Amino acid sequence: LGPAYAAAGQPARILETGGMPVSLLPGAVYQEHAQRLAPGDRIYLFTDGILEAANREKREFGVERFLASLDLHQGRPVEEVLSSLLCEVE
């Protein structure tokens, strides 16, 4: 998966960039992707560890909950967004 893109006032979404994860294979070739950002937009880089974090019932946090968390805290300082997200994952 690509990074999450949260445009100001819009639901967060995953940017589908495709390609090999960074540093997975030596000598891998990567494509360049561009995303125009407006004031208030954010790009969130994350690992699969966030999405695959599981609770006692073995239910993964998942993409939908990740994006919903970003939406819930939209417009707040990034430190608060990340802190809230990590609390939800834990």
Side-chain angles (χ1 to χ4, degrees), residues 33-51:
H33 297 273
Q35 176 67 47
R36 186 175 302 273
L37 299 177
D41 291 357
R42 293 182 178 164
I43 296 284
Y44 293 95
L45 304 178
F46 60 96
T47 69
D48 57 355
I50 293 287
L51 305 179

Side-chain angles (χ1 to χ4, degrees), residues 39-86:
D41 291 357
R42 293 182 178 164
I43 296 284
Y44 293 95
L45 304 178
F46 60 96
T47 69
D48 57 355
I50 293 287
L51 305 179
E52 294 174 0
N55 62 14
R56 288 185 179 102
E57 291 80 33
K58 308 256 190 260
R59 183 172 156 230
E60 291 185 350
F61 192 73
V63 173
E64 288 182 23
R65 285 183 69 193
F66 173 67
L67 295 176
S69 180
L70 296 180
D71 290 342
L72 179 66
H73 305 294
Q74 190 178 65
R76 294 174 56 193
V78 71
E79 294 84 5
E80 289 181 29
V81 175
L82 297 178
S83 177
S84 295
L85 175 65
L86 290 176

Side-chain angles (χ1 to χ4, degrees), residues 2-39:
Y5 172 57
Q10 299 292 318
R13 62 186 173 92
I14 301 295
L15 295 176
E16 297 296 335
T17 58
M20 183 73 56
V22 174
S23 78
L24 186 62
L25 297 174
V29 177
Y30 298 97
Q31 295 178 358
E32 183 176 305
H33 297 273
Q35 176 67 47
R36 186 175 302 273
L37 299 177

